[in-house]
Every structure is written in structure tokens, then in C-alpha cells.
């Protein structure tokens, strides 16, 4: 039986993250569509314009909680992967405190200076009273939304994926229900829609806070120091900026491209562009779900220097987004009327231009899907410089430049083809950078996902075993023959067999165990990863074994952590 790594454990963990995350993204965006439909149906198109007028503030709030949420979870996950639970708890605490402080500050400023906000959000004297009616209640929802999202991100990396999904579902379903109740039965108008948002997220936040009372959670709130906190906050913001800047670049891009389209196609162009944006929004639901599943897993495995594991998850995610990209490209190319039906475009004078725009724009969806995933991936391995460059190029520079140039050369069709060229140009930048880095590092980094090469001076054994005693015994023999130092190999083999068998005894339901052994002239490093009940040789005294005692005596370091619902034990033996 040759030893091999089958990635069963990793595949199972990816699926565990993928489906709830995808469903949460679908639920959230479905609620947005349902919200718009209810407001339009019950209050008329004028009130729907109020929601559109609020979009700049909504995008800004998105940027704030993505900045803290993504930045904090990536750093906390990295620290837990490095067995630094105290620092992970520090980042967790700072993230929650800072998002509360920032969101409350925004709310207070809005309540104190509503006219300043309204001047930015709406110039129409007819719409301004309605915008104010929604705005004054929406402000109350901001602290709940921000705290809810950030806490949900942390709960997910702590393996409370189902809790996160149910909380998102509660927030969005209650938002829709309260919209109908307040608008239809309490005659609260557009303000009722805002109250629906407040109460939906208030109740969902209370439910999500049950996380703090669960004994299985590994992230803890701890006491922090102000000066130390500022340094961590800078790191959090740097890490979270690439993904959070998407919202910023989106707002700037829309303002510039709207101006260009108006000059070329007048109002019908804006209608067509709006449908193209809705098309990419629909696709991004599925790509965002995939990217959010990839991020924590890649972050952990990259920090553990398990580059084969990182590459496996990246390639699996790529296959999923390519499938989504091909499906939606084919759908909107062959049936562009689908998006018209979804968003109720019925004006005969608009339909030809909109269908033409959607058909051409759909050609960018495959490249768009890959680029979106790649930006989140590169952020997960903490290559922030490349992540920032790609986000800026893809989110702002390329679209604006190509739309401007192509609108001059090919007019209407040039605008839509510009988005296709923009996404392809981003892919080209990624490819050229990967070729450049491969040559610069002499093959240390290779391939589209910049896979890092393992240490050439180190032998590595990777093995996935069935959770049974026969495989455990067989693996212990493989390790004995694998380790270069005969005495060390014998001790490690005996201890590993007993360790694995004990793990099997305390876990009734366990499918797979991953074992990675690295052996070089200086040390032997053994990594054991599994789900279920964990065991730390240094602190858990239930197992009375001379072999484990020998392992502890010859080990220079034994680290144990729980992360993403996996138990990870790393044993280092120096020679």
C-alpha cells in the first residue's frame, strides 16, 4: 500500500464551508432584490429611487465592515495557524471594539449633521424628504449591521459556519417580513423599510451573540492596551484594504462611466449599463461564496507551509468559479432577456439596446469570475502589494481607460467590449506577473496561483489515512523508514502509533487523518490534523504511555491548536 495524500479531509472541510457560505450570499442578495420589489410594488418607483440615492452610504458601510472583518479574520486565522492564540484573541477583541466604535461614530455624525449627508446623497428637492425619512432610521441599523457582519466572519473561521448561515438567513428574512408589515399594515412609508432593516439585524445580532456563550469557541475577548491596539489596527486595515477597496473603486468607477455613457447613448445607455451591473452582481453572489470558502482555509494552510494543500484548495475553487463563469456567460449570451425579466425592463425603446449590451457584456463574466477569486486568494496568502495593484487595475483603472477609448472608437458596442477587454487585461497582468516571479525566484514560485516550492533540502511524507487502527500501524512503520536518523525514527514511529490509536479511541465518528512529516539534517517535524475531539500530548494526561512520554522527552516543541474545526498537532524534534 503506497503512502499518498488524498485530500479527503481538506475536501470535506471545503464543502463544509462552501455550501452555507454560498447559501448565505444567495439569501442576502435575494433579500436585496425582494426588498426592492416590495418597495417598488407598495410605494412606487419614486421610493425605489430613494434606495438608489442611499447607495453611496451603503457602499461606504460595506467598505468599513469588510476592512475590519476581512483584515481581522485573515490575521487572526494566521496567528492561530502559528499557534499564537493570545495574539489571535487580541485581534478578535480589537476588531469587535473598533467596528463598534466606528459604526457608532458614523451613526452619531449622521444624527447630528443630517443635512451634510443628505447634500451628498441627494440633490433632488422632490426626493430629499423621502431620502431623509429612510436615512434617519437607516442610521440606527448601521451599528448592528457592522457588528453582525464582523462577528459572523470570526464565527465562521472558528467553525461556527451553520450559526453564521442561520444568522444571515434570520437577518434577511426578517428584513423582508418587517418591510411588508411596516409599509403595508402600519403605513410607515419608506421609513418602514428602514425599520425593517433595523429590527432584522437587531434580532439576528442577538441570535449571533449566542456564539459568546458556546463552550466550543476558541476565540476569546481579552483585555487590550491602547498603544498596542493601534499597531494591530494598522495591520488589520492593511490586510483588509484590498477587498474593502472594491466598494470604493466601484463607486468612483460608476460615477465616471455613467458620465461617459450619457455622452454616447443618453439615458438608454444608463439603463443598459444598470442591467450589466445587475448581471455581474448576480454572478458575484456565487463567486463571493466560493472566495469566502477559500480564504480561511488557504490562510491556515499557507501559514503552515502546506503548499500542496493550498494549491489543492485554489484549484478546486478555480474549477467551481470557471463552471459558474461558463454557465452565466452562456445563459446571458443566448438568453439576454433573462436579466430583463428579472429586473422588469419592459420599455420597448430600451429592450434592443439592453439585450445587445448584456450579450456583449456577458463575454467578460468568465474572466471576471477568475479575477474575483484570484484577488481574494492572493489576499489570503498575504501578498497585499499584488492584491492592492490588481484591485485598483481591475476595479477602476482598466474599466475607465478602456471604456473611454473604446467609446470613441466603436461608440455603443465599444463601451460593452471595453469591460471584456478590461477583465482579459487583468488576467494578462496576473499571468505576466507569475512568469516574472517564477524567473526572478528561480522557480521558488510557479503557476497561476504562485505555488511556493517546498524546501529542496527536506524530505517530506504526506499521508491521508482512514480513521482505523490498521492504517495507523502501517503509517507508523512508514514514518520509521522515512526518518533519516534510525534512533529518532524508531521513537517517533512508536509514539505516533500510540498517539493515532488514542485519537481513534476518543473519536467515535472520524473519517480521515492527515499526517505530514518533514525531515532534514536539523530536525524532524510531524504534523497531525483531524476533525473531532483533539488531543494535546503536553497538557492532556489521560493517555498513560511510555511511548508518548518518550515523544515528549525527545521533542523540542509540541504545538496544538484548534482552527477551522480541525485539531492540529505539530511536533518538532531537533537532531
Amino acid at each position: 500500500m503506497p503512502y499518498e495524500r488524498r485530500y479527503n479531509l481538506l475536501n470535506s472541510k471545503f464543502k463544509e464551508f462552501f455550501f452555507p457560505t454560498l447559501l448565505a450570499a444567495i439569501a442576502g442578495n435575494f433579500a436585496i432584490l425582494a426588498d426592492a420589489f416590495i418597495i417598488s410594488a407598495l410605494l412606487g418607483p419614486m421610493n425605489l429611487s430613494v434606495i438608489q440615492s442611499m447607495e453611496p452610504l451603503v457602499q461606504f458601510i460595506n467598505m468599513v465592515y469588510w476592512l475590519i472583518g476581512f483584515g481581522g479574520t485573515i490575521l487572526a486565522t494566521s496567528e492561530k495557524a502559528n499557534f499564537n492564540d493570545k495574539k489571535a484573541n487580541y485581534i478578535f477583541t480589537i476588531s469587535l471594539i473598533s467596528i463598534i466604535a466606528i459604526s457608532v461614530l458614523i451613526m452619531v455624525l449622521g444624527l447630528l449633521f443630517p443635512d451634510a449627508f443628505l447634500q451628498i446623497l441627494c440633490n433632488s428637492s422632490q426626493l430629499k424628504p423621502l431620502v431623509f425619512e429612510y436615512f434617519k432610521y437607516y442610521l440606527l441599523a448601521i451599528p448592528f449591521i457592522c457588528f453582525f457582519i464582523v462577528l459572523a466572519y470570526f464565527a465562521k473561521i472558528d467553525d461556527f459556519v451553520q450559526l453564521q448561515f442561520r444568522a444571515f438567513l434570520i437577518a434577511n428574512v426578517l428584513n423582508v417580513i418587517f418591510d411588508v408589515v411596516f409599509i403595508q399594515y402600519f403605513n410607515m412609508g419608506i421609513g418602514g423599510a428602514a425599520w425593517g432593516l433595523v429590527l432584522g439585524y437587531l434580532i439576528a445580532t442577538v441570535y449571533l451573540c449566542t456564539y459568546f456563550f458556546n463552550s466550543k469557541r476558541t476565540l476569546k475577548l481579552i483585555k487590550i492596551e491602547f498603544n498596542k491596539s493601534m499597531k494591530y489596527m494598522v495591520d488589520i486595515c492593511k490586510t483588509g484594504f484590498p477587498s474593502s477597496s472594491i466598494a470604493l473603486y466601484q463607486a468612483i468607477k460608476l460615477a465616471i462611466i455613467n458620465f461617459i455613457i450619457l455622452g454616447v447613448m443618453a439615458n438608454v445607455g444608463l439603463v443598459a449599463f444598470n442591467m450589466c451591473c445587475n448581471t455581474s452582481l448576480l454572478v458575484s453572489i456565487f463567486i463571493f461564496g466560493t472566495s469566502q470558502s477559500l480564504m480561511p482555509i488557504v490562510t491556515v494552510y499557507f501559514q503552515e507551509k502546506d503548499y500542496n494543500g493550498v494549491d489543492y484548495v485554489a484549484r478546486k475553487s478555480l474549477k467551481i468559479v470557471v463552471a459558474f463563469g461558463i454557465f452565466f456567460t452562456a445563459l446571458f449570451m443566448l438568453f439576454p432577456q433573462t436579466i430583463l425579466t428579472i429586473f422588469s425592463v419592459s420599455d420597448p425603446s430600451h429592450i434592443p439596446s439592453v439585450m445587445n449590451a448584456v450579450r456583449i457584456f456577458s463575454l467578460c463574466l468568465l474572466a471576471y469570475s477568475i479575477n474575483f477569486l484570484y484577488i481574494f486568494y492572493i489576499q489570503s496568502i498575504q501578498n497585499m502589494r499584488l492584491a492592492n495593484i490588481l484591485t485598483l487595475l481591475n476595479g477602476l483603472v482598466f474599466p475607465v481607460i478602456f471604456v473611454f477609448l473604446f467609446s470613441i472608437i466603436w461608440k455603443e458596442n465599444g463601451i460593452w467590449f471595453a469591460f471584456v477587454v478590461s477583465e482579459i487585461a487583468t488576467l494578462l497582468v496576473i499571468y505576466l506577473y507569475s512568469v516574472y516571479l517564477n524567473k526572478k525566484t528561480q522557480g521558488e514560485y510557479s503557476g497561476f496561483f504562485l505555488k511556493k516550492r517546498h524546501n529542496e533540502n527536506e524530505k517530506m511524507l504526506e499521508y491521508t489515512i482512514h480513521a482505523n487502527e490498521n492504517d495507523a500501524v502501517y503509517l507508523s512503520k512508514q514514518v520509521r523508514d522515512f526518518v533519516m536518523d534510525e534512533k529518532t525514527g524508531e521513537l517517533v514511529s512508536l509514539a505516533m502509533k500510540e498517539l493515532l490509536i488514542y485519537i481513534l479511541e476518543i473519536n467515535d465518528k472520524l473519517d480521515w487523518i492527515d499526517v505530514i512529516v518533514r525531515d532534514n539534517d536539523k530536525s524532524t517535524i510531524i504534523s497531525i490534523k483531524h476533525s473531532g475531539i483533539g488531543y494535546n500530548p503536553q497538557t492532556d494526561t489521560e493517555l498513560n504511555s511510555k511511548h508518548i512520554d518518550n515523544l515528549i522527552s525527545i521533542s523540542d516543541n509540541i504545538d496544538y491548536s484548534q482552527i477551522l474545526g480541525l485539531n492540529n498537532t505539530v511536533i518538532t524534534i531537533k537532531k
Side-chain angles (χ1 to χ4, degrees):
M1 181 172 64
Y3 61 78
E4 61 178 0
R5 185 177 185 183
R6 294 190 286 269
Y7 299 104
N8 305 78
L9 184 65
L10 194 50
N11 186 51
S12 175
K13 181 56 59 177
F14 182 85
K15 287 179 180 178
E16 182 185 322
F17 273 65
F18 177 69
F19 291 107
T21 305
L22 180 61
L23 290 172
I26 293 172
N29 284 274
F30 175 78
I32 293 172
L33 297 177
D35 211 22
F37 176 79
I38 291 168
I39 292 170
S40 180
L42 298 181
L43 298 174
M46 177 70 74
N47 286 272
L48 191 57
S49 299
V50 171
I51 306 301
Q52 293 169 342
S53 298
M54 288 289 296
E55 192 61 23
L57 179 58
V58 172
Q59 289 292 335
F60 177 74
I61 298 302
N62 290 348
M63 186 177 71
V64 170
Y65 65 62
W66 280 356
L67 185 72
I68 305 299
F70 286 146
T73 51
I74 289 173
L75 290 181
T77 306
S78 298
E79 293 305 328
K80 287 186 73 66
N82 289 323
F83 305 101
N84 195 340
D85 287 346
K86 183 178 180 181
K87 193 171 180 180
N89 290 334
Y90 211 102
I91 292 168
F92 171 62
T93 305
I94 291 169
S95 298
L96 292 184
I97 292 175
S98 62
I99 197 62
I100 291 172
I102 293 170
S103 59
V104 169
L105 177 62
I106 294 171
M107 180 187 72
V108 171
L109 289 175
L111 292 172
L112 292 177
F113 309 104
D115 291 340
F117 281 80
L118 290 173
Q119 193 64 34
I120 298 171
L121 297 174
C122 181
N123 290 322
S124 169
S125 57
Q126 184 181 8
L127 271 181
K128 191 168 286 187
L130 293 173
V131 173
F132 176 69
E133 188 68 17
Y134 186 91
F135 170 78
K136 65 183 180 182
Y137 298 128
Y138 174 78
L139 289 172
L140 302 178
I142 290 175
F144 296 116
I145 293 172
C146 290
F147 179 78
F148 173 87
I149 298 292
V150 173
L151 179 58
Y153 287 165
F154 277 102
K156 184 175 73 173
I157 69 166
D158 207 11
D159 201 39
F160 286 79
V161 184
Q162 292 297 328
L163 176 67
Q164 183 213 38
F165 166 64
R166 290 192 293 267
F168 269 106
L169 195 62
I170 289 170
N172 290 292
V173 170
L174 288 182
N175 178 23
V176 173
I177 292 173
F178 284 134
D179 275 358
V180 176
V181 171
F182 290 135
I183 295 173
Q184 183 75 9
Y185 297 102
F186 287 87
N187 297 316
M188 294 180 65
I190 192 66
W195 268 115
L197 194 69
V198 174
L199 291 180
Y201 273 96
L202 170 61
I203 295 171
T205 301
V206 171
Y207 172 74
L208 185 61
C209 283
T210 59
Y211 166 78
F212 292 111
F213 303 99
N214 195 306
S215 60
K216 293 182 179 179
R217 71 186 179 97
T218 64
L219 290 168
K220 311 292 183 183
L221 294 172
I222 61 174
K223 185 178 180 180
I224 62 173
E225 302 172 10
F226 180 78
N227 291 335
K228 193 176 179 181
S229 301
M230 290 301 100
K231 178 185 179 299
Y232 283 125
M233 269 305 297
V234 171
D235 292 337
I236 289 170
C237 292
K238 283 181 179 179
T239 306
F241 183 75
S243 51
S244 67
S245 64
I246 292 173
L248 173 64
Y249 297 148
Q250 176 77 355
I252 299 172
K253 178 183 73 176
L254 289 176
I256 297 172
I257 292 178
N258 281 347
F259 178 79
I260 296 172
I261 290 175
L262 272 174
V264 176
M265 299 177 62
N267 289 336
V268 67
L270 291 182
V271 175
F273 182 44
N274 186 32
M275 289 305 105
C276 292
C277 291
N278 288 334
T279 300
S280 62
L281 173 64
L282 190 62
V283 177
S284 69
I285 295 172
F286 299 90
I287 309 307
F288 189 77
T290 308
S291 302
Q292 282 291 286
S293 303
L294 166 142
M295 279 188 78
I297 299 175
V298 166
T299 300
V300 169
Y301 279 72
F302 185 80
Q303 287 297 320
E304 293 175 352
K305 296 183 174 63
D306 185 357
Y307 305 126
N308 290 335
V310 170
D311 192 56
Y312 172 82
V313 175
R315 289 179 181 277
K316 185 177 183 65
S317 302
L318 181 62
K319 290 176 183 177
I320 293 172
V321 300
V322 166
F324 281 134
I326 292 173
F327 170 77
F328 283 110
T329 298
L331 175 66
F332 295 123
M333 274 195 69
L334 299 174
F335 308 104
Q337 62 271 23
T338 305
I339 201 74
L340 277 68
T341 302
I342 294 173
F343 292 98
S344 304
V345 177
S346 56
D347 190 329
S349 63
H350 291 166
I351 290 176
S353 294
V354 173
M355 288 183 64
N356 178 60
V358 170
R359 271 202 175 99
I360 298 173
F361 183 84
S362 65
L363 295 172
C364 82
L365 294 178
L366 177 56
Y368 166 80
S369 302
I370 297 171
N371 291 331
F372 195 99
L373 174 76
Y374 193 85
I375 287 171
F376 277 84
Y377 166 80
I378 213 71
Q379 190 176 358
S380 301
I381 64 173
Q382 297 193 41
N383 189 336
M384 297 308 164
R385 183 169 176 268
L386 178 58
N388 281 313
I389 291 172
L390 291 177
T391 307
L392 178 61
L393 291 176
N394 183 255
L396 182 61
V397 175
F398 283 159
V400 169
I401 289 176
F402 287 123
V403 166
F404 175 73
L405 292 177
F406 285 20
S407 67
I408 296 173
I409 300 170
W410 293 307
K411 302 299 180 184
E412 178 181 339
N413 286 342
I415 292 173
W416 315 127
F417 274 113
F419 292 102
V420 181
V421 175
S422 175
E423 297 297 339
I424 293 174
T426 305
L427 273 179
L428 183 61
V429 169
I430 294 171
Y431 170 74
L432 292 175
Y433 180 79
S434 66
V435 172
Y436 160 77
L437 193 63
N438 179 267
K439 290 182 178 179
K440 180 183 177 182
T441 61
Q442 297 180 337
E444 183 180 354
Y445 293 90
S446 62
F448 184 75
F449 287 108
L450 307 180
K451 181 183 177 182
K452 193 170 183 180
R453 184 177 61 203
H454 289 283
N455 188 346
E456 292 180 342
N457 298 321
E458 185 175 73
K459 291 172 58 184
M460 188 166 71
L461 177 149
E462 297 178 273
Y463 204 118
T464 300
I465 66 169
H466 290 283
N468 61 60
E469 187 172 333
N470 288 336
D471 274 20
V473 172
Y474 176 80
L475 175 59
S476 67
K477 293 178 181 177
Q478 292 290 323
V479 170
R480 181 190 62 198
D481 298 335
F482 175 79
V483 176
M484 289 183 283
D485 183 81
E486 185 177 344
K487 181 180 178 181
T488 303
E490 188 67 35
L491 290 172
V492 170
S493 173
L494 291 170
M496 179 176 287
K497 181 177 72 173
E498 195 138 349
L499 180 59
L500 290 173
I501 290 174
Y502 183 69
I503 289 172
L504 295 174
E505 288 177 355
I506 63 176
N507 284 277
D508 294 329
K509 295 180 180 179
L510 198 61
D511 294 324
W512 305 98
I513 301 175
D514 270 358
V515 177
I516 298 177
V517 182
R518 296 182 175 90
D519 190 49
N520 55 51
D521 294 335
K522 296 181 179 179
S523 63
T524 300
I525 301 172
I526 306 111
S527 172
I528 300 173
K529 192 181 270 86
H530 63 92
S531 57
I533 301 171
Y535 171 69
N536 186 345
Q538 280 195 317
T539 59
D540 297 333
T541 58
E542 292 89 346
L543 182 56
N544 183 17
S545 164
K546 66 177 183 179
H547 298 313
I548 295 298
D549 291 339
N550 285 335
L551 175 66
I552 294 173
S553 66
I554 66 171
S555 298
D556 292 276
N557 192 44
I558 298 179
D559 290 309
Y560 170 81
S561 71
Q562 287 181 298
I563 184 168
L564 307 181
L566 296 174
N567 303 285
N568 187 28
T569 304
V570 176
I571 303 162
T572 302
I573 303 169
K574 294 182 181 179
K575 297 178 180 178

